[in-house]
Amino acid sequence: MFVARSNDPNIPALILHGLICLGLALMPTATSKQDPNINFEGLVNGVRINVWEGTVSFERNNARDKATTGLVIEDGDRVFSERSSRAEILLQPGNYLRLANDTQLKFLSTTYDKVRLELTAGSVNFELLNDPWVSPLTEAVGRYDLIRTITPAGEILIVQPAIIRISVAADNTVEVVVRSGTAILDG
């Protein structure tokens, strides 16, 4: 049997140990069941407007409205950025599309691995850093179309991580700047 004396240096440690054990014993236990109806916002589903500055609007079913942060973009939606405005759109976690000022962009398809866009005016920057399809470029061209952008001069296909800018001028000339990655031009 252990007997503690008032001058014993172990008494504070014994009291602390006892309080910790008591606290653990009284703590409610966590349940392992999880509500299947809980929507965890940390997992982003769909293409959505991440941030914007200035006057950015969208058009859905022939009705135009102001863009809002978190707005989910649907197939057929158009996004417009006015003068001195810009927007960032989250394509998939780690992959972004940025609209410069005076840009008009239509989302033909927002499917995760087959995003289709139509750029009719302005400039867009793609920052595609996440590569969920680890495969060589030649294999990827046949199996996946990560991003396909239709312009007045033809189509630009991006099938791997890349940083690319596509611009459509007033005379419908198209400029493609590839900072990293690969763009395949068809047109």
Side-chain angles (χ1 to χ4, degrees):
M1 179 168 140
F2 176 77
V3 178
R5 294 185 170 73
S6 61
N7 60 357
D8 191 343
N10 292 327
I11 289 183
L14 289 172
I15 292 173
L16 179 63
H17 180 68
L19 289 174
I20 291 173
C21 289
L22 180 62
L24 289 175
L26 297 175
M27 187 187 272
T29 58
T31 163
S32 62
K33 294 181 182 179
Q34 198 166 27
D35 185 357
N37 298 321
I38 292 176
N39 183 11
F40 180 59
E41 285 295 322
L43 301 175
V44 176
N45 292 322
V47 173
R48 61 184 63 224
I49 294 179
N50 198 31
V51 294
W52 54 272
E53 180 179 281
T55 304
V56 177
S57 59
F58 76 101
E59 181 180 277
R60 179 177 295 156
N61 301 324
N62 296 320
R64 198 161 173 171
D65 202 358
K66 290 182 179 180
T68 58
T69 301
L71 173 74
V72 176
I73 302 296
E74 298 175 1
D75 293 356
D77 285 357
R78 293 180 182 270
V79 178
F80 304 90
S81 64
E82 305 297 330
R83 176 174 284 159
S84 301
S85 302
R86 58 187 174 171
E88 179 181 84
I89 297 174
L90 177 64
L91 299 175
Q92 302 106 14
N95 295 328
Y96 297 93
L97 167 64
R98 293 183 178 93
L99 280 70
N101 62 317
D102 295 321
T103 299
Q104 297 178 21
L105 183 68
K106 181 176 183 179
F107 286 81
L108 302 172
S109 171
T110 58
T111 304
Y112 178 72
D113 61 343
K114 294 187 185 301
V115 174
R116 301 281 183 273
L117 308 168
E118 182 178 13
L119 179 64
T120 54
S123 297
V124 293
N125 288 302
F126 293 95
E127 187 174 332
L128 309 173
L129 303 177
N130 188 15
D131 185 9
W133 310 282
V134 179
S135 61
L137 176 62
T138 54
E139 182 180 330
V141 171
R143 292 180 49 203
Y144 302 107
D145 297 338
L146 181 56
I147 304 284
R148 184 178 296 265
T149 304
I150 300 166
T151 70
E155 296 183 10
I156 296 102
L157 178 66
I158 306 169
V159 295
Q160 64 181 2
I163 298 175
I164 295 176
R165 180 180 181 90
I166 303 171
S167 300
V168 176
D171 64 355
N172 283 339
T173 58
V174 176
E175 177 185 48
V176 179
V177 177
V178 179
R179 292 189 173 97
S180 70
T182 303
I184 300 169
L185 308 176
D186 182 17

